[in-house]
Amino acid sequence: MERVVQFTGPRQVEVAEHASAPLPAGHLRVRTRFSGVSAGTELTAYRGTNPYLTRTWDAEARIFRDGAAGIEYPVVGWGYSETGEVTEVSPELLGTAGLPSVGDLVWGIWGHRSEGIVPAERLIGHTLPEGLEPLAGTFARVGAIAYNAVLAADIHVGEDLAVFGQGVIGLLATRLAQLNGARVTAVDALEGRLETARTYGATATLDARSSTVAEDIRAATGGRGADGAIEISGVYPALHEAIRSVSVGGRVVASGFYQGDGIGLRLGDEFHHNRVQIVCSQIGGVPAQLSNRWTVERLQQTFLSLVAQDRVDVTSLVSHLVPITDAADAYTLLDERPADALQVVLEF
């Protein structure tokens, strides 16, 4: 039997069981070991705020259309950060270059389910680097999101970057920006996360509740403001403060998944007067100017190689390993007590 996590309604979670399906041609079967829970995108479906629940994404026109929902409850098998062991390969695929074999540990996206039936092309090159523990493989996608934001920021050695939001992706962005040569100011409303940010390479930290963040960043840069900022919390007032914090012509990378109307974002203020650039970073693609060299696949693979080289620590970010049978508790924790958790991982 296969077990799969599904949302049956807002803030309603169950683990359903289904008979295992036969393996179709062109696919591999993977037994899941670990599956990371997204505290951003997944919670929008859990809470009922995801735009797909009320509108449909027209992929050809690339706009949302009103009138019909793109997804409906039950929302089955969300999740995009899985690792597992290959248990079956469709016979005609045997010997395919770069394709994992039975017994190999792999990473990829097949959702919160005890086994994944994955198209072969999505697992080519997805064998875990030698020596990397399976738990670390669950960070391939979130690490790529952070990496993408740092590339979009176009930061250079010796420049100042502010990173707003020090959850898992924000902490990884802080570390990657520091590796890239930036002086990083980490901003968050939780002191525990700011402490972690310091260990991940932040030069300075600011508590969003008690600091005058933009003024403090400008004071620390001789009045100039940060060269750039990454906003990863998905909170509109934080995006507004990021805009206030950068220099004239500075760049703000909006990498959070913002919900609803932009309350707290005032584009007639510093954005207008300082001619601030706002660019979106979203894991569906890489910055346009880098698309001839970088791909999402390269982001993921390069991030895991950095982890394997001990240049980025990820496993210490795992605050909770939750058995799949207790999946509902994992979402309650992230929804109601976010200060108590960083990366929550479901264990199968």
Side-chain angles (χ1 to χ4, degrees):
M1 298 293 289
E2 178 198 5
R3 292 174 296 172
V4 59
V5 177
Q6 59 187 30
F7 305 144
T8 56
R11 292 182 167 86
Q12 298 175 27
V13 180
E14 69 176 25
V15 179
E17 291 191 348
H18 307 282
S20 294
L23 185 68
H27 288 69
L28 287 76
R29 191 187 309 273
V30 184
R31 180 176 63 84
T32 309
R33 296 277 297 275
F34 300 105
S35 186
V37 178
S38 160
T41 302
E42 280 191 64
L43 283 193
T44 66
Y46 172 76
R47 292 168 173 158
T49 63
N50 191 288
Y52 284 90
L53 290 166
T54 56
R55 296 186 295 282
T56 299
W57 173 246
D58 185 329
E60 184 175 351
R62 300 205 63 81
I63 59 172
F64 277 96
R65 298 191 186 278
D66 295 328
I71 58 173
E72 297 178 343
Y73 293 112
V75 178
V76 180
W78 269 43
Y80 57 75
S81 301
E82 285 72 56
T83 61
E85 179 184 345
V86 176
T87 58
E88 186 180 1
V89 178
S90 186
E92 80 282 357
L93 296 173
L94 296 176
T96 302
L99 192 68
S101 303
V102 170
D104 286 346
L105 294 174
V106 296
W107 54 274
I109 301 173
W110 55 87
H112 300 315
R113 55 182 78 242
S114 57
E115 67 173 33
I117 295 179
V118 189
E121 63 269 17
R122 286 170 46 191
L123 287 180
I124 291 175
H126 279 225
T127 303
L128 283 177
E130 187 173 352
L132 191 69
E133 57 184 292
L135 186 60
T138 63
F139 286 84
R141 191 71 168 180
V142 291
I145 294 169
Y147 208 147
N148 211 27
V150 171
L151 290 181
D154 192 27
I155 202 74
H156 305 100
V157 174
E159 291 189 329
D160 292 286
L161 180 76
V163 180
F164 287 74
Q166 293 295 302
V168 171
I169 298 176
L171 288 165
L172 294 176
T174 291
R175 174 59 177 158
L176 291 169
Q178 188 257 344
L179 286 176
N180 202 49
R183 291 186 298 266
V184 181
T185 297
V187 184
D188 202 277
L190 299 175
E191 178 54 37
R193 294 186 178 183
L194 293 175
E195 291 177 7
T196 305
R198 287 187 278 272
T199 70
Y200 271 65
T203 304
T205 59
L206 292 173
D207 189 326
R209 299 166 301 177
S210 57
S211 302
T212 52
V213 174
E215 288 84 350
D216 290 351
I217 289 174
R218 290 185 178 279
T221 55
R224 182 186 66 249
D227 297 285
I230 295 172
E231 204 301 297
I232 195 67
S233 72
V235 177
Y236 287 109
L239 179 59
H240 183 71
E241 197 66 12
I243 292 167
R244 297 186 70 231
S245 300
V246 298
S247 63
V248 173
R251 173 174 292 193
V252 174
V253 178
S255 192
F257 190 11
Y258 304 93
Q259 302 294 297
D261 295 334
I263 297 172
L265 179 63
R266 301 187 302 275
L267 297 182
D269 295 2
E270 290 82 6
F271 168 73
H272 181 78
H273 289 80
N274 288 333
R275 304 183 300 284
V276 173
Q277 305 174 51
I278 301 179
V279 300
C280 177
S281 177
Q282 195 268 349
I283 198 57
V286 299
Q289 68 273 21
L290 300 177
S291 60
N292 62 322
R293 295 186 287 116
W294 281 88
T295 63
V296 174
E297 189 74 3
R298 182 182 175 186
L299 285 173
Q300 296 175 126
Q301 292 175 339
T302 305
F303 179 79
L304 284 185
S305 71
L306 290 171
V307 176
Q309 295 162 19
D310 293 325
R311 299 181 71 188
V312 180
D313 170 33
V314 294
T315 53
S316 67
L317 296 176
V318 178
S319 59
H320 294 77
L321 267 177
V322 180
I324 182 61
T325 52
D326 298 332
D329 295 336
Y331 289 97
T332 299
L333 170 67
L334 289 170
D335 183 36
E336 298 180 2
R337 305 189 307 279
D340 296 341
L342 268 174
Q343 181 63 59
V344 176
V345 177
L346 301 177
E347 186 173 14
F348 290 80

